[in-house]
Amino acid sequence: MMTLLQQLPPECIRIVIAAAVVIGFVFANATVMGYLERKLAGRFQRRLGPMEVGFHGLLQMPVDGLKLIGKQLTEPNNVGGIVFYLSPLIAMTPVALPFLVIPFSPHLQVIDLDVGLLFIIAMISFNTIAVFLGGWSSNNNYSMLGAMRSVAQNISYEIPILLSVLSIVLITNSFSLKTIVLEQSRFWFVLVQPVAFLIFFIAGIAETNRAPFDLPEAESELTAGFHTEYSGIAFSMFMIAEYTYIFINCALATVLFFGGWHGIPLPFGEYSSCIWFLMKTYLLMFVIVWCRWTFPRVRFDQLMNFSWKYLIPFSMVNLLLTAIVVKL
Amino acid sequence: MQAGKKNKPIHYRYFLNMGPQHPSTHGVLRVVIGMYGEYVLSIEPIIGYGHRMHEKMGESRPWQAFLPNTARMDYACALPHQHAYVRAIERMTGVAVPERAEYLRVITTELNRVVSHLLWLGAFLLDLGAFTPILYTFDDREHILDILENVTGSRLTHCYFRAGGVVQDVDDSFEPAVRACIKRMRSRFEMYDKLVTKNIIFIKRTKDIGIIDRDMAVRYGVTGPVLRGSGIAHDIRKAEPYSVYPELDFDVPTGQNGDCYDRYLVRVEEMRQSLRIIEQALERMPGGDVRTKTPKKLNLPPGDVTSTTEGARGDVTYYVAGDGTETPYRLKVRSPCFSNLSLLEELCEDMLLADLIATMGSLDLVIPEVDR
Amino acid sequence: MNQYFSDLLNGARSLIEGFGVTLKALLSPPVTVQYPRETIPVSAGYRGHIELIIDEESGSHRCISCGTCARTCPSRCIEVKGEKPEGGKRKELARFQLDFTRCSLCGTCVEVCPVTALRFSRVYGQAGYTREEFMIDVLKRAGVQK
Amino acid sequence: MALDTGRLVTDIRACSQNVAEPQPGACGYTIEVHLSPDQVQECARSMYDHGMYLVFITAVHVSPVPEVLYQFAHFDTPCRVLVRTSVQSDGKLPSIAPVYRGADWHEREIHDFYGIVFEGHPHLKPLIFAREDRKMRPLLKRDELVKERSALWPDETGLTAPESDDAGR
């Protein structure tokens, strides 16, 4: 068995190990995020959140995961056939790809693509296809409405993200995430580009269908939106995908605006940069959870107006100003 | 508002079945909505899922047996129903009610109104997508429900009023508890103002949505906070004063243009007014017994009577026809939600689905009261 | 045009205020009680199912099994049977069954009882799997309380 | 626009002579009117012109012919009008839904409970009952329990009696 390993090129082993770590991280992040969200939701509402399973409910999310795996996959009649089962997979699989380029710390990065940023933004838009196919194929008026809404929402919020990210690229004129983070060693880009950060963050919340823009799965209007008919593991795949997209959004925001792994050196030696990175990301996730438990839901046409009338004009103006300033 | 799509060819329309199990129908109501894309073309509320034929129960048993039923129709605000029924019986049989009992009735009814408006506030915001305020309103409700549980014996389905007074007097822990509760409640209002009234998303979701004008109110018999939201100061406690309300000073809040936002403001202001009423009633409440002795067998004389009180949702009217025996010959309950719901078909044409949910939430529907 | 900006500005301000409220809630202690372990004391006036009052002096219940409560109960959920022990002159209460599945806690039985032998117990949180668990034998309960 | 009760009473008298103004404290309504079935729509229209809203419509199963009662009230001035009619011999009654859209539901409910048919009603489908038990008519009393109209309202001259002008109770 060892001889077989020696024959394989080292690069291939490195990729296999990295893939395994990334998949493990995706599931770990989903459980941690889910636990954090339910605990914070409880505390925001002056209650305790999950307390029963494990110490202070720590085992609640893994146990939920097992329960969901054990649940029966109900299939309503004349449902869209293979597409009905394909959409959770489409939601789940591309979720791990952006992790290849996210620089957790100077050397903890799978590959440093020089088009890393473009690659991530391309991967993020996979979610829309999955949500649309899921909603459309479950043969239920509510999910069809949810699917339509999610397509319109993601398209109209993709543009502000691109424009705000472009203003960063103008400064660093490189798409590679590592160089962007290295550029921020002296000062973080959020000080230079606060408006771009705000636009990116708000559009990020809308992109991942999170409240106050959670129209595709509006509980009080569309019962459960696009994943009404999904149960068991299919439903949990959509949940894991959603939590991971939130993590990617926050990680991207940290890399672009909050200076990746830069921070006061901590006593953990060379892991301190990775810890800084995770701390910043989870702080941004706290803000996203905070938004969810404070605001009512926006109506559908207001959502569109907000993007086309406010975010896009502001991001264009911001882009223009950065261009002028940078070219001076 | 948005141009409707009514002139679209029919085959574009699809039907969305909202209910009978649906998160925002507040009870077992089914609404069949003809939709064109996101726009609502036609609405048909289908009621009757929670129908128990209360009126037949009233006709087949002695009138005392109907008292628990009055609390099972509008369980969110049961006491005005009971007050109306008991006043109808007192009108027919001429039973006198001691002053202290009337004050106790007013205090517990106003506490019940605050509890009902808090429940509505939480549920309305939940319909609009805000998950947290409902927990805050339930936290406030618990304080008042503990007081009501101690006085009337149960948290929602109170059976506290009798013909000629109330069941039992309050113990001396009642008054300090109510005063503390009023003080606490007043401090909570400006928290709700910050979280909800000034919130831009909430304003955008409720301003100029579901506007009810006076003519529609007359044609459908809309009463209560829904009517007052359209600027008509009609409150039975002021229009046709009963019990000890003439001696209490309070004003009737009204809105300007009758949209969901005004109905919200009216109900929050009404909670403040109820607290004022309770305070005054506590000071003016005399001593004395709380119930007049009524003969064992109290027959209802021939003839019929209607009696009206101001429920949390509007004009609660009981029509009782007696025929000389102890059993009412005919008992009709006019529930405000029945009329408030009937205008949904005309009000919600050409609306977005999200606005339909907001409007239905602002009508404060309790479906068991509609089905009876 | 200024409507455009004024919306944006006081909109943002109201959102920040909303954030402030929930942050204050986050930092203040929870108000809930972990129900199965901790419980809130039931208030004095709470109406559980009815039970017989035990007299201090005679040490037993005061019921004379006249059946008034059974007759006036709107949902007919009380069943009272009195038997005359041989030789004795007064009826003894032999059976007092309450069908708690149909009782609506209106309190008529407590009021009409000529010897005020009934009162509301403060039993809270009754749960059961079968209907039989709610057929309460009030007499046996009174015996237990003695 | 407060209600002018004087003009209201004269309008009602135009529909029918039998108008009484009993003591509201005792019976809860200020004006009581007896109408014959064909005057119902006319009276409803005059009520609507005065801006009165419909409180409820109900029916009472009395022996010769079931009795239908309407109650109207006004938003600004306290005034409650109780209108009594008897159903026509063939169990029909003209509907006031064209005037008061809200009456649509009230009349459908009475149709469910009593089987009284309202002519001119836009769509007299069952409101509360499902299709299969729309023939239930629960509020109709068993024959031995039904009472005479006069047993319930002894001193009132029902419409069956000739038009006598003495005031009601």
Side-chain angles (χ1 to χ4, degrees):
Chain A
M1 172 48 185
M2 283 311 290
T3 56
L4 178 65
L5 272 183
Q6 265 103 27
Q7 278 142 20
L8 284 177
E11 189 53 30
C12 173
I13 301 165
R14 189 167 171 279
I15 290 290
V16 164
I17 296 166
V21 164
V22 160
I23 299 289
F25 181 80
V26 160
F27 280 95
N29 165 54
T31 39
V32 166
M33 257 292 292
Y35 174 72
L36 262 179
E37 165 137 40
R38 290 172 66 166
K39 263 299 187 197
L40 281 175
R43 289 291 167 164
F44 277 129
Q45 295 165 354
R46 306 285 305 270
R47 55 185 173 85
L48 283 174
M51 292 292 283
E52 292 306 314
V53 186
F55 174 73
H56 272 283
L58 276 173
L59 297 179
Q60 181 70 43
M61 288 312 284
V63 165
D64 276 0
L66 286 179
K67 173 202 77 174
L68 281 173
I69 291 170
K71 275 276 186 339
Q72 180 211 7
L73 261 176
T74 56
E75 183 198 327
N77 50 23
N78 52 46
V79 122
I82 185 68
V83 176
F84 179 71
Y85 288 106
L86 208 59
S87 54
L89 298 180
I90 299 174
M92 185 62 183
T93 37
V95 124
L97 298 180
F99 283 90
L100 303 181
V101 281
I102 291 182
F104 286 87
S105 73
H107 35 71
L108 200 61
Q109 183 184 17
V110 184
I111 318 160
D112 175 22
L113 291 175
D114 50 9
V115 277
L117 198 55
L118 274 186
F119 176 76
I120 285 191
I121 290 174
M123 286 306 127
I124 283 180
S125 54
F126 255 102
N127 185 28
T128 333
I129 304 168
V131 165
F132 174 68
L133 286 183
W136 175 72
S137 67
S138 40
N139 183 26
N140 166 348
N141 279 344
Y142 288 124
S143 4
M144 196 269 293
L145 268 176
M148 295 301 165
R149 285 181 176 183
S150 83
V151 169
Q153 176 176 338
N154 285 357
I155 289 172
S156 64
Y157 276 90
E158 199 87 4
I159 301 163
I161 286 188
L162 291 175
L163 291 173
S164 55
V165 155
L166 267 185
S167 52
I168 294 295
V169 167
L170 263 178
I171 297 173
T172 60
N173 47 52
S174 117
F175 278 107
S176 145
L177 292 178
K178 179 171 269 191
T179 47
I180 291 175
V181 173
L182 288 174
E183 288 279 328
Q184 293 181 35
S185 51
R186 282 195 320 289
F187 54 89
W188 292 350
F189 280 152
V190 79
L191 310 174
V192 176
Q193 293 277 359
V195 176
F197 165 68
L198 263 180
I199 294 169
F200 178 84
F201 192 66
I202 294 171
I205 296 180
E207 187 68 30
T208 52
N209 304 335
R210 285 287 295 186
F213 305 101
D214 62 345
L215 286 145
E217 72 221 23
E219 283 79 13
S220 63
E221 284 148 32
L222 308 176
T223 56
F226 61 91
H227 51 72
T228 321
E229 297 303 340
Y230 285 95
S231 56
I233 190 69
F235 171 73
S236 60
M237 276 192 188
F238 276 119
M239 278 302 121
I240 292 173
E242 185 193 329
Y243 280 136
T244 318
Y245 276 120
I246 296 171
F247 179 85
I248 292 165
N249 251 304
C250 294
L252 208 54
T254 330
V255 163
L256 294 176
F257 295 98
F258 282 95
W261 61 74
H262 293 290
I264 313 147
L266 295 171
F268 302 116
E270 37 95 28
Y271 285 114
S272 64
S273 53
C274 182
I275 293 197
W276 264 111
F277 180 85
L278 287 179
M279 256 202 314
K280 290 180 199 167
T281 314
Y282 276 97
L283 185 73
L284 281 174
M285 266 198 253
F286 168 78
V287 175
I288 289 188
V289 168
W290 194 2
C291 270
R292 172 170 191 181
W293 299 106
T294 317
F295 298 127
R297 190 173 301 119
V298 179
R299 201 180 55 201
F300 187 57
D301 56 334
Q302 290 161 356
L303 180 81
M304 291 298 138
N305 292 348
F306 184 63
S307 166
W308 292 99
K309 286 190 185 147
Y310 284 92
L311 288 189
I312 291 177
F314 273 99
S315 51
M316 276 185 198
V317 164
N318 184 341
L319 193 61
L320 217 62
L321 287 178
T322 358
I324 296 163
V325 164
V326 162
K327 282 306 160 258
L328 276 185
Chain B
M1 253 207 337
Q2 293 89 348
K5 299 292 180 298
K6 210 171 284 184
N7 39 33
K8 269 285 165 266
I10 279 304
H11 68 272
Y12 276 161
R13 188 159 67 161
Y14 66 96
F15 282 94
L16 190 69
N17 231 313
M18 223 177 78
Q21 284 80 24
H22 187 272
S24 64
T25 47
H26 304 293
V28 203
L29 159 78
R30 176 173 165 219
V31 186
V32 179
I33 313 172
M35 304 264 292
Y36 168 73
E38 283 274 340
Y39 285 101
V40 171
L41 294 184
S42 71
I43 297 177
E44 200 212 340
I46 296 170
I47 58 174
Y49 288 90
H51 173 64
R52 294 144 291 173
M53 203 69 240
H54 274 285
E55 289 165 8
K56 190 69 180 177
M57 286 191 225
E59 289 172 12
S60 45
R61 292 182 305 182
W63 61 266
Q64 300 91 336
F66 194 71
L67 280 168
N69 290 50
T70 56
R72 261 80 177 174
M73 274 184 276
D74 177 359
Y75 44 75
C77 189
L79 287 173
H81 273 266
Q82 202 152 79
H83 200 174
Y85 179 64
V86 155
R87 269 174 51 72
I89 301 294
E90 278 154 13
R91 252 189 189 156
M92 293 186 88
T93 53
V95 173
V97 181
E99 185 83 1
R100 184 175 173 82
E102 280 297 352
Y103 272 99
L104 279 176
R105 284 182 180 174
V106 162
I107 293 172
T108 42
T109 308
E110 293 309 321
L111 281 172
N112 206 323
R113 193 188 312 277
V114 172
V115 159
S116 165
H117 282 336
L118 279 173
L119 172 71
W120 165 80
L121 179 61
F124 180 52
L125 291 166
L126 196 59
D127 288 353
L128 297 179
F131 300 100
T132 320
I134 190 163
L135 271 304
Y136 298 159
T137 52
F138 272 32
D139 174 21
D140 300 340
R141 264 178 95 230
E142 281 310 312
H143 293 270
I144 303 177
L145 287 184
D146 290 347
I147 298 172
L148 281 177
E149 177 186 274
N150 193 20
V151 170
T152 64
S154 52
R155 290 162 58 86
L156 286 177
T157 56
H158 315 288
C159 195
Y160 182 52
F161 297 165
R162 292 289 184 276
V166 283
V167 172
Q168 68 199 10
D169 205 336
V170 283
D171 49 22
D172 40 31
S173 76
F174 175 72
E175 186 155 342
V178 172
R179 287 198 194 287
C181 191
I182 290 176
K183 205 163 68 64
R184 182 188 179 287
M185 200 54 219
R186 288 210 167 111
S187 69
R188 297 283 285 185
F189 279 129
E190 62 7 74
M191 183 271 283
Y192 286 122
D193 272 353
K194 264 199 266 180
L195 186 63
V196 178
T197 317
K198 292 201 269 288
N199 188 313
I200 186 76
I201 303 175
F202 176 76
I203 293 174
K204 280 275 192 279
R205 278 296 300 275
T206 48
K207 208 109 178 88
D208 303 331
I209 306 226
I211 291 173
I212 297 176
D213 57 9
R214 185 186 175 104
D215 177 61
M216 183 190 278
V218 165
R219 276 187 296 113
Y220 282 95
V222 170
T223 52
V226 178
L227 176 70
R228 290 192 280 277
S230 315
I232 300 157
H234 171 69
D235 184 329
I236 307 287
R237 295 173 292 178
K238 282 279 187 199
E240 296 151 29
Y242 56 96
S243 173
V244 286
Y245 280 110
E247 280 115 38
L248 300 172
D249 154 43
F250 62 98
D251 41 24
V252 176
T254 57
Q256 268 76 36
N257 42 30
D259 54 10
C260 295
Y261 192 65
D262 280 352
R263 291 192 274 275
Y264 160 79
L265 291 177
V266 160
R267 286 201 181 92
V268 171
E269 184 51 31
E270 256 178 38
M271 280 201 264
R272 286 198 176 94
Q273 293 306 322
S274 291
L275 294 180
R276 254 179 80 196
I277 294 175
I278 297 169
E279 247 168 5
Q280 293 166 43
L282 274 178
E283 272 126 30
R284 303 164 63 96
M285 183 153 75
D289 59 3
V290 284
R291 194 171 171 184
T292 50
K293 221 50 212 94
T294 52
K296 269 261 178 304
K297 202 161 169 24
L298 196 60
N299 287 345
L300 304 176
D304 52 10
V305 145
T306 66
S307 89
T308 309
T309 56
E310 178 66 29
R313 284 153 188 82
D315 164 345
V316 172
T317 304
Y318 272 65
Y319 167 85
V320 181
D323 60 356
T325 68
E326 219 186 359
T327 318
Y329 188 74
R330 167 71 172 121
L331 178 72
K332 160 74 183 172
V333 176
R334 190 264 186 195
S335 63
C337 281
F338 186 83
S339 315
N340 292 354
L341 177 61
S342 59
L343 62 83
L344 207 61
E345 287 171 52
E346 187 181 327
L347 180 62
C348 295
E349 228 93 34
D350 282 349
M351 258 190 183
L352 281 167
L353 183 62
D355 292 342
L356 170 68
I357 305 282
T359 316
M360 256 174 59
S362 76
L363 294 177
D364 191 3
L365 301 169
V366 175
I367 304 307
E369 189 192 39
V370 175
D371 301 341
R372 287 187 304 279
Chain C
M1 190 53 190
N2 53 20
Q3 166 70 11
Y4 176 85
F5 285 110
S6 73
D7 257 4
L8 195 67
L9 287 181
N10 46 35
R13 200 162 37 78
S14 70
L15 295 183
I16 307 292
E17 268 171 27
F19 268 140
V21 171
T22 33
L23 185 67
K24 202 156 70 67
L26 177 74
L27 306 177
S28 37
V31 289
T32 53
V33 162
Q34 293 300 100
Y35 173 60
R37 288 170 195 73
E38 312 145 13
T39 51
I40 302 174
V42 173
S43 59
Y46 176 74
R47 290 182 183 179
H49 63 76
I50 51 172
E51 65 184 4
L52 286 162
I53 302 173
I54 302 299
D55 245 355
E56 288 71 26
E57 322 82 29
S58 72
S60 88
H61 57 77
R62 294 199 288 258
C63 175
I64 53 169
S65 66
C66 62
T68 323
C69 53
R71 277 193 304 278
T72 50
C73 170
S75 5
R76 276 184 289 290
C77 36
I78 297 176
E79 196 197 320
V80 172
K81 203 141 59 33
E83 271 144 12
K84 193 189 290 299
E86 60 312 326
K89 54 177 177 19
R90 263 180 354 95
K91 275 196 299 186
E92 257 310 317
L93 177 67
R95 179 178 155 77
F96 194 117
Q97 199 67 24
L98 166 71
D99 174 359
F100 194 54
T101 55
R102 292 167 48 194
C103 167
S104 54
L105 290 166
C106 60
T108 316
C109 50
V110 173
E111 278 159 40
V112 297
C113 178
V115 292
T116 61
L118 287 173
R119 70 160 180 239
F120 285 105
S121 70
R122 291 171 63 210
V123 171
Y124 182 80
Q126 273 189 311
Y129 288 99
T130 59
R131 280 183 178 279
E132 285 63 36
E133 287 170 46
F134 291 93
M135 303 300 174
I136 297 160
D137 186 342
V138 179
L139 183 59
K140 192 149 67 61
R141 256 182 73 87
V144 161
Q145 271 163 357
K146 213 179 291 175
Chain D
M1 36 287 186
L3 165 79
D4 157 9
T5 37
R7 208 158 60 77
L8 178 71
V9 172
T10 45
D11 281 1
I12 300 174
R13 278 200 196 287
C15 316
S16 112
Q17 284 58 39
N18 207 322
V19 179
E21 299 199 32
Q23 235 302 323
C27 58
Y29 39 85
T30 47
I31 301 172
E32 188 184 355
V33 188
H34 295 269
L35 284 179
S36 66
D38 45 24
Q39 294 160 334
V40 166
Q41 279 182 333
E42 189 199 326
C43 174
R45 205 156 291 113
S46 75
M47 288 289 168
Y48 179 66
D49 300 342
H50 281 282
M52 307 277 283
Y53 75 94
L54 175 69
V55 181
F56 64 77
I57 306 178
T58 188
V60 187
H61 186 211
V62 278
S63 73
V65 169
E67 179 103 358
V68 174
L69 299 137
Y70 303 81
Q71 181 161 62
F72 298 92
H74 195 271
F75 286 143
D76 302 327
T77 43
C79 157
R80 292 227 162 208
V81 180
L82 189 71
V83 176
R84 299 175 195 278
T85 54
S86 300
V87 179
Q88 286 154 357
S89 46
D90 57 5
K92 285 199 170 47
L93 197 64
S95 150
I96 65 169
V99 179
Y100 281 97
R101 284 285 287 124
D104 169 347
W105 275 29
H106 287 279
E107 284 167 355
R108 276 169 66 188
E109 184 193 307
I110 291 173
H111 173 66
D112 284 355
F113 292 162
Y114 287 89
I116 300 170
V117 175
F118 288 89
E119 287 149 339
H121 190 284
H123 43 271
L124 203 58
K125 311 206 299 293
L127 176 72
I128 290 192
F129 291 143
R131 290 197 56 75
E132 55 272 15
D133 46 20
R134 61 182 179 282
K135 288 281 183 293
M136 231 173 13
R137 320 250 186 278
L139 278 182
L140 292 181
K141 288 178 184 276
R142 290 200 304 276
D143 298 341
E144 65 274 15
L145 289 174
V146 180
K147 285 211 164 56
E148 279 292 319
R149 189 184 178 296
S150 51
L152 244 56
W153 298 292
D155 46 18
E156 252 126 28
T157 56
L159 285 170
T160 46
E163 290 298 24
S164 67
D165 212 355
D166 66 332
R169 212 163 33 82

